[in-house]
Amino acid sequence: MEQNTLELPKIYDEASDFMPILGTDYIEFYVSNSKQAAHFYKSAMGFNSLAYAGLETGNRESESYVVSQDKIKFVFTSPLKSGTEIGRHIDKHGDGVKVTALWVPDATYAYNTAIEKGARSFMEPREESDENGKVVRSGIYTYGEVVHIFVERNEYNGVFLPGFRKWDTHYKADPIGLKYVDHMVGNVELGAMNKWVKFYEEVLGFAQILSFDDNDISTEYTALMSKVMSNGNGRIKFPINEPAEGLKKSQVDEYLDFYEGAGVQHIAMATDNIIETVTALKNRGVEFLNIPSTYYDVLEERVGPIDEDVQPLKDLGILVDRDDEGYLLQIFTKTVQARPTMFFEIIQRKGAQSFGKGNFKALFEAIEREQELRGTL
Ligand code: FE2
């Protein structure tokens, strides 16, 4: 059985990183109703209108609404007619993440390097321009039908990308403190995790920083295995899960069944004040997994002293975990579309760079209670 490994953080050597990535650029979801989806992210999750492309900008095929909050940009795209690739994707998977765009200094170099190292092409380097400058984009496939698009935008001053115009609405959401994408987790098929670990190592120059096996991540019913991949400068973290044998169907199996394949399971967004952020999300109707109050009886015993009062954490259902470097607070939403597939995590890091291993049992038991209600356990 594989042992858990927490590798010592290596000093980032920019010169030896063959795939420099500056950060997450945007995440694009293919959804059945982009206009309404965008409004949910505004009214419920504190995002604001940023950009639009569709009939009014000369796009007859699809319509996209872009919302942003601090560094996070989400794009919601729907087809405008039948028989499109986007429509086929939605028919198969339901609403879900299609693109994780990575902000790079050179999208042509990134593409050529990735292809040379074995990536499958999604989009050859393409220069797009308007009166605000030019952008170069290219893309490769990762697990399932998810793609990484490389975005080079150092010569662009427009609101989002060429082809989009500013989207202004009279409704302005009060931001709720979401700052950036902390990590994005993929679920892959049984036996496929190591293949994708290798893909991120070889094609994108990532390193494995953590691994969990079914001794860490198991309850009476659920088991899964996970490896966390990080790029050189640590700004991009992609944990990859695969199901493991359990007594009943695991949450990863449920995802794979309903998504009909591998895909993005959750996106973790960082805040500097999780109590304020989660209070605001709950007030706007966002639903979170319920954690039994007994979790909090032994909290301080388990994680030691923390800055926060336990009562508001208990009231909101926020989880706490500690590692060698500090602690973290985290909470998970229920799934956010018709199919029980994707959900969000809200995370506040106070030194800890890990992913809340100490919370897996409480968390998975909470997920199993939801599965039970769906009849999918
Ligand atoms: Fe997470």
Side-chain angles (χ1 to χ4, degrees):
M1 186 61 64
E2 187 172 353
Q3 294 301 302
N4 308 319
T5 50
L6 176 52
E7 285 168 19
L8 292 172
K10 66 175 166 46
I11 307 231
Y12 176 53
D13 173 14
E14 205 175 348
S16 72
D17 185 355
F18 71 78
M19 187 63 81
I21 300 172
L22 304 167
T24 304
D25 195 289
Y26 63 89
I27 295 173
E28 182 171 17
F29 303 73
Y30 283 175
V31 298
S32 48
N33 192 331
S34 56
K35 194 173 197 171
Q36 290 188 3
H39 191 71
F40 169 82
Y41 285 86
K42 290 165 60 182
S43 61
M45 300 191 77
F47 284 77
N48 268 303
S49 309
L50 181 70
Y52 166 83
L55 292 172
E56 292 85 345
T57 63
N59 189 344
R60 316 297 298 179
E61 281 260 316
S62 62
E63 182 170 70
S64 295
Y65 291 86
V66 189
V67 299
S68 68
Q69 184 167 180
D70 203 331
K71 291 192 170 66
I72 311 167
K73 280 180 275 187
F74 287 162
V75 183
F76 300 96
T77 297
S78 294
L80 289 167
K81 60 184 191 184
S82 63
T84 65
E85 170 53 26
I86 300 164
R88 183 206 56 77
H89 193 280
I90 295 165
D91 183 48
K92 182 169 172 66
H93 302 294
D95 290 3
V97 171
K98 175 62 183 176
V99 176
T100 305
L102 304 171
W103 177 29
V104 296
D106 185 337
T108 307
Y109 165 83
Y111 177 85
N112 289 338
T113 303
I115 295 295
E116 200 176 287
K117 291 175 182 290
R120 185 158 69 95
S121 176
F122 173 71
M123 181 171 99
E124 287 186 10
R126 181 187 298 172
E127 188 176 309
E128 298 155 320
S129 60
D130 64 14
E131 66 277 13
N132 298 302
K134 73 160 194 177
V135 168
V136 181
R137 291 193 304 151
S138 60
I140 58 167
Y141 278 96
T142 175
Y143 48 77
E145 293 199 84
V146 182
V147 302
H148 291 312
I149 287 188
F150 300 115
V151 184
E152 172 189 334
R153 53 165 74 252
N154 52 324
E155 290 176 51
Y156 192 68
N157 295 310
V159 65
F160 179 55
L161 288 172
F164 284 78
R165 70 172 195 204
K166 189 170 168 21
W167 178 36
D168 209 1
T169 50
H170 73 269
Y171 176 78
K172 306 272 190 272
D174 288 329
I176 56 163
L178 297 175
K179 297 173 73 81
Y180 58 88
V181 173
D182 183 276
H183 60 275
M184 192 189 78
V185 181
N187 281 340
V188 301
E189 301 84 353
L190 182 64
M193 177 176 68
N194 287 328
K195 172 186 157 186
W196 292 107
V197 163
K198 210 164 150 236
F199 167 87
Y200 280 103
E201 282 171 351
E202 290 178 359
V203 172
L204 292 174
F206 282 39
Q208 184 185 320
I209 55 170
L210 275 174
S211 81
F212 308 103
D213 64 28
D214 50 359
N215 291 325
D216 302 312
I217 316 186
S218 69
T219 62
E220 192 182 349
Y221 297 139
T222 303
L224 67 83
M225 295 193 287
S226 188
K227 289 185 175 174
V228 182
M229 305 306 293
S230 170
N231 80 318
N233 61 18
R235 292 187 196 169
I236 310 290
K237 292 188 204 78
F238 291 151
I240 302 167
N241 298 333
E242 75 171 32
E245 291 294 320
L247 276 182
K248 292 192 181 178
K249 186 186 276 189
S250 81
Q251 50 168 305
V252 180
D253 288 316
E254 185 196 37
Y255 177 101
L256 295 170
D257 282 356
F258 278 91
Y259 202 68
E260 298 192 17
V264 172
Q265 180 213 36
H266 76 266
I267 297 168
M269 298 184 284
T271 171
D272 285 340
N273 189 329
I274 197 166
I275 291 175
E276 279 179 22
T277 297
V278 173
T279 300
L281 287 166
K282 281 205 164 172
N283 287 341
R284 296 171 196 203
V286 175
E287 296 180 313
F288 292 91
L289 291 174
N290 295 312
I291 300 301
S293 60
T294 50
Y295 171 90
Y296 297 92
D297 296 346
V298 291
L299 180 66
E300 283 165 303
E301 222 169 278
R302 187 168 65 79
V303 300
I306 55 173
D307 302 335
E308 294 74 15
D309 290 333
V310 173
Q311 193 57 44
L313 300 178
K314 184 175 176 176
D315 292 343
L316 294 164
I318 294 167
L319 305 168
V320 190
D321 197 25
R322 184 180 286 280
D323 64 23
D324 295 345
E325 296 172 278
Y327 70 98
L328 62 82
L329 305 112
Q330 63 186 168
I331 189 169
F332 297 83
T333 71
K334 294 186 178 179
T335 55
V336 293
Q337 59 288 302
R339 300 191 198 185
T341 50
M342 203 202 67
F343 57 88
F344 289 97
E345 172 181 350
I346 312 299
I347 186 166
Q348 181 178 4
R349 294 188 181 278
K350 293 196 147 178
Q353 294 304 312
S354 54
F355 296 84
K357 184 173 109 175
N359 291 322
F360 288 165
K361 190 164 163 36
L363 178 64
F364 293 171
E365 285 170 353
I367 292 173
E368 284 164 12
R369 285 191 292 277
E370 297 292 312
Q371 282 185 271
E372 187 84 67
L373 293 173
R374 293 194 282 263
T376 60
L377 190 60

